[in-house]
């Protein structure tokens, strides 16, 4: 988890042209501009809106020209603001602001009510478009937010959410997704809550810690998502527990917590849950019990307050901002807004680099986000922002938090879980040992949703295998390291999970999938799998027993040609032409000495998980014959050479012409290859071997 000093160092390391451009943009957006001034180039862009999807005319302008035009054009200003936000100021190699401004051309593409900014062909920002039925200029906004002005806005949003949102497809229909969303069974209230008594006039509120068992089950409470950013100066410990039941010293609380408490007072809600104060921080038993109940704590909360842009607990909720920076731009019957919920920009906010905040966002029924430029709202039905016309709502587009409130429409349950894991794997944890427990609330919620929606399948806690689900094996075994280079993530020697679980590594992950709707012609058989203890939050050991076609990696791949000097996680190499020849890849896990271990001919084996045949296409059309492909695991004999026992080194992918014929040759080879008896636990007459992966 980075500190403010680290982030300042990053900023100073940006190219001078980037820092100059950022400074220029800041001064431009702070200028007092008219909401509706628009340049001739942007008029041309707007005239293409509402027509067929395609590239719109941006008159070949580069960023420098758009910056200059933004002095007098609201849409140019919005484009630059969106690029600065999404580019994350040169974090990525393809960042549009990393190259000199006069060399970059911005293009716009209109699709599904969105203008996508393309920089050198890379999507680099999104502007939302809605049709105006009336002359809506957007909701009035404030330069400086206060608890009073913020509560005024939130009371309207909360009231709309409680009554049910208006359907965009049918204006007379009311959507009640937020009210009918799934709630976990069992105890509804957290173990402890902070009770708030508003102060008189300018006096600070009185805060004390209470046991919730004395409160009615229908008690309404708010939750807080924030970054600690180091040690919190005022927190509950065994020594302070009794004193805090009488009064928590408000003036000693960090600013983010004080801001949240004052806001809750203005919302006329009496209780709030804050982890540093409602969990006994130096009591491991209490911490483990409460951390395992996150699904109920956030799911049952009335509202979640998210301090998105505060780097630590003293950052506060509110930042100075200029409403013009996120005001709507109007042209004809359309209103254009910068998309506050655009995924890449949203996930770059300080709070959402934190793994715990990932599940807090997913689990909460409603969240109010305090961002850099405006306050925004997120619930199962819609997203709202200060800068949007108040009468309109936008469907929750990225599925958060609605992804865990209704069954998937266009994907499988297995793929749904993968889509939860992939962003989580990119996030930071102060304590790496928290990787399972910080995701346990999502596992609990996912199981509840599956059980409610699929009568033929019921997920139990024993089905959870350290971040994978037993019914979705072997699919969930095909995760791979998505980092560009090895050695970027420090390997934690402390055991967290078996080698076949993504939890065992600290790196972003993705999953291999068979293309389209093609059915596999071969699938690894899972005989038995288990972890110990049976838990959503911890793992001390685990294994999978599988039966498949195992053979030495050196029999198929040209390991002698394996070049590992670049330390890339994906290594491309040839494989034996008798099996088709062509492209193949190793995706290496970031484990100690992985480069030396993967070329050990005596110890490294391949285990196909899926094989498939499919038509082969090029831009010129279909090629004659079929292609075949294989996804599988790279395995290594365990250090003690236990019979038939392996640990994971990564995954591999084969892709070649030749269709079923080449696959049959590989199968035949695996059936007949001579293997030492210690390589497997048992071997059937069809050549498949039973092995154990730990």
């Amino acid at each position: 988890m980075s500190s403010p000093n680290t982030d300042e160092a990053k900023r100073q390391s940006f190219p001078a042209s980037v820092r100059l451009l950022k400074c220029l943009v800041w001064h431009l957006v702070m200028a007092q501009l008219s909401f509706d001034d628009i340049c001739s180039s942007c008029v041309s862009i707007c005239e293409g809106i509402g027509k067929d999807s395609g590239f719109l005319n941006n008159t070949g302008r580069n960023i420098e020209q758009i910056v200059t035009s933004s002095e007098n054009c609201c849409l140019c200003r919005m484009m630059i603001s969106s690029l600065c936000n999404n580019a994350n100021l040169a974090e990525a190699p393809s960042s549009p602001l990393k190259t000199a401004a006069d060399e970059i051309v911005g293009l716009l593409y209109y699709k599904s009510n969105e203008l996508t900014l393309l920089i050198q062909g890379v999507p680099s920002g999104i502007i939302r478009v809605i049709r105006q039925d009336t002359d809506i200029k957007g909701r009035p906004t404030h330069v400086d937010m206060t608890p009073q002005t913020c509560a005024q806005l939130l009371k309207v949003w909360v009231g709309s959410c409680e009554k049910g949102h208006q359907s965009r497809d049918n204006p007379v229909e009311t959507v009640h997704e937020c009210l009918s969303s799934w709630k976990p069974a069992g105890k509804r209230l957290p173990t402890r809550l902070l009770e708030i008594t508003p102060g008189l006039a300018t006096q600070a509120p009185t805060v004390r810690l209470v046991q919730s068992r004395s409160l009615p089950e229908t008690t309404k409470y708010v939750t807080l998502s924030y970054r600690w950013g180091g040690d919190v100066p005022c927190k509950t410990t065994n020594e302070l527990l009794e004193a805090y039941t009488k009064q928590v010293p408000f003036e000693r609380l960090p600013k983010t917590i004080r801001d949240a408490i004052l806001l809750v007072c203005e919302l006329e809600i009496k209780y709030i849950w804050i982890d540093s104060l409602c969990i006994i921080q130096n009591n491991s038993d209490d911490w483990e019990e409460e951390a395992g109940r996150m699904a109920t704590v956030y799911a049952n909360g009335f509202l979640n307050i998210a301090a998105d842009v505060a780097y630590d607990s003293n950052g506060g909720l509110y930042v100075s901002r200029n409403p013009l920076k996120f005001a709507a731009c109007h042209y004809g019957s359309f209103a254009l807004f910068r998309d506050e919920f655009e995924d890449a920009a949203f996930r770059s906010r300080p709070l959402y680099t934190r793994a715990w905040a990932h599940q807090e966002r997913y689990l909460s029924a409603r969240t109010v986000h305090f961002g850099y430029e405006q306050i925004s709202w997120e619930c199962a039905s819609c997203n709202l922002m200060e800068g949007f016309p108040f009468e309109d709502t936008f469907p929750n587009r990225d599925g958060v938090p609605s992804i865990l409130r209704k069954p998937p429409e266009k994907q499988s349950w297995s793929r749904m879980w993968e889509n939860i894991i992939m962003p989580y794997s990119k996030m930071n944890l102060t304590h790496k040992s928290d990787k399972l427990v910080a995701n346990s609330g999502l596992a609990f919620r996912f199981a509840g949703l599956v059980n409610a929606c699929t009568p033929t399948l019921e997920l139990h806690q024993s089905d959870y295998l350290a971040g994978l689900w037993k019914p979705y094996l072997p699919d969930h075994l095909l995760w791979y390291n998505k980092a560009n280079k090895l050695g970027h993530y420090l390997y934690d020697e402390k055991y967290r999970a078996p080698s076949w679980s993504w939890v065992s590594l600290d790196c972003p992950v993705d999953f291999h999938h068979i293309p389209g709707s093609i059915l596999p012609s071969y699938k690894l058989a899972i005989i038995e799998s288990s972890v110990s203890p049976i838990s959503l939050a911890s793992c001390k050991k685990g294994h999978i027993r599988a039966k498949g076609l195992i053979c030495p990696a050196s029999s198929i791949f040209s390991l002698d040609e394996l070049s590992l000097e670049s330390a890339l996680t994906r290594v491309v190499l040839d494989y034996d032409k008798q099996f088709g020849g062509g492209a193949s890849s190793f995706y290496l896990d970031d484990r100690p000495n992985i480069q030396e271990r993967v070329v050990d001919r005596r110890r490294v084996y391949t285990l196909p998980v899926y094989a498939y045949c499919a038509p082969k296409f090029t831009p010129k059309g279909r090629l004659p014959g079929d292609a075949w492909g294989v996804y599988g695991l790279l395995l290594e004999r365990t250090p003690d050479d236990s019979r038939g026992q392996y640990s994971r080194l990564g995954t591999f992918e084969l892709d070649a012409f030749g269709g079923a014929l080449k696959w049959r040759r590989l199968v035949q080879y695996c059936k007949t290859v001579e293997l030492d008896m210690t390589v497997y636990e048992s071997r059937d007459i069809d050549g498949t071997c039973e092995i154990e992966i730990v």
Side-chain angles (χ1 to χ4, degrees), residues 182-190 217-223 293-303 363-366 405 445:
W182 175 83
K183 295 288 185 182
K187 186 178 178 182
R188 204 191 75 80
L189 293 177
E217 281 290 297
T218 55
T219 296
K220 186 184 297 185
Y221 67 92
V222 172
T223 56
R293 299 185 64 243
M294 289 298 100
T296 58
V297 169
Y298 281 89
N300 291 327
F302 179 74
L303 175 69
L363 295 172
S364 301
R366 309 178 182 98
R405 298 187 179 278
R445 172 68 67 83

Side-chain angles (χ1 to χ4, degrees), residues 353-387:
T353 63
R354 174 177 170 260
W356 284 98
H358 179 70
Q359 75 167 0
E360 291 164 8
R361 182 186 177 204
Y362 273 52
L363 295 172
S364 301
R366 309 178 182 98
T367 297
V368 54
H369 297 277
F370 288 81
Y372 288 111
E373 296 162 9
Q374 59 180 312
I375 296 170
S376 52
W377 169 276
E378 185 175 44
C379 65
S381 298
C382 69
N383 297 329
L384 293 166
M385 309 174 206
E386 285 182 87

Side-chain angles (χ1 to χ4, degrees), residues 514 518-523 609-614 628-630 660 663 667:
I514 294 178
I518 299 170
L519 296 177
S521 54
Y522 168 84
K523 181 177 179 180
V609 174
Y610 281 121
Y612 64 92
C613 288
W628 71 275
V630 180
W663 169 243
V667 171

Side-chain angles (χ1 to χ4, degrees), residues 466-538:
L468 287 61
W469 288 98
K470 188 181 296 187
Y472 307 124
L473 297 179
D475 300 53
H476 284 182
L477 293 175
L478 287 176
W479 58 270
Y480 65 91
N481 180 3
K482 202 178 179 182
N484 290 324
K485 287 201 172 186
L486 297 168
H488 183 70
Y489 296 88
L490 295 177
Y491 183 77
D492 188 357
E493 294 290 349
K494 186 177 179 181
Y495 185 90
R496 293 201 305 262
S499 65
W500 41 260
S501 168
W502 55 269
V503 177
S504 66
L505 295 181
D506 293 313
C507 63
V509 302
D510 204 336
F511 289 80
H512 297 295
H513 297 113
I514 294 178
S517 58
I518 299 170
L519 296 177
S521 54
Y522 168 84
K523 181 177 179 180
L524 179 69
I526 304 297
I527 299 173
E528 187 261 337
S529 57
S530 67
V531 295
S532 177
I534 297 175
S535 169
L536 301 179
S538 64

Side-chain angles (χ1 to χ4, degrees), residues 555-598:
S555 300
I556 302 175
F557 299 98
S558 303
L559 296 183
D560 293 338
E561 300 175 9
L562 198 60
S563 175
L564 297 169
E565 295 179 1
S566 61
L568 296 175
T569 55
R570 181 185 179 187
V571 183
V572 179
L573 68 166
D574 292 331
Y575 62 99
D576 199 302
K577 292 182 179 180
Q578 69 171 312
F579 307 126
S584 67
S585 299
F586 280 5
Y587 297 81
L588 303 179
D589 295 347
D590 206 342
R591 303 186 188 277
N593 304 315
I594 184 69
Q595 293 167 284
E596 293 79 15
R597 292 160 63 182
V598 76

Side-chain angles (χ1 to χ4, degrees), residues 29-105:
V29 298
M30 293 302 289
Q32 294 297 310
L33 307 179
S34 167
F35 284 167
D36 299 313
D37 288 343
I38 188 166
C39 68
S40 57
S41 294
C42 288
V43 167
S44 176
I45 293 171
C46 291
E47 287 179 348
I49 295 174
K51 300 177 182 178
D52 293 337
S53 296
F55 289 96
L56 301 182
N57 182 15
N58 193 32
T59 63
R61 294 184 299 168
N62 58 33
I63 283 185
E64 185 176 21
Q65 292 169 323
I66 297 174
V67 168
T68 301
S69 179
S70 66
E71 295 181 37
N72 302 299
C73 174
C74 65
L75 184 52
C76 286
R77 183 182 73 250
M78 191 177 298
M79 283 191 257
I80 293 299
S81 178
S82 180
L83 291 173
C84 284
N85 195 39
N86 189 64
N88 201 18
L89 294 178
E91 279 288 329
S94 59
S95 170
L97 300 186
K98 199 166 186 176
T99 310
D102 59 352
E103 296 179 0
I104 302 175
V105 176

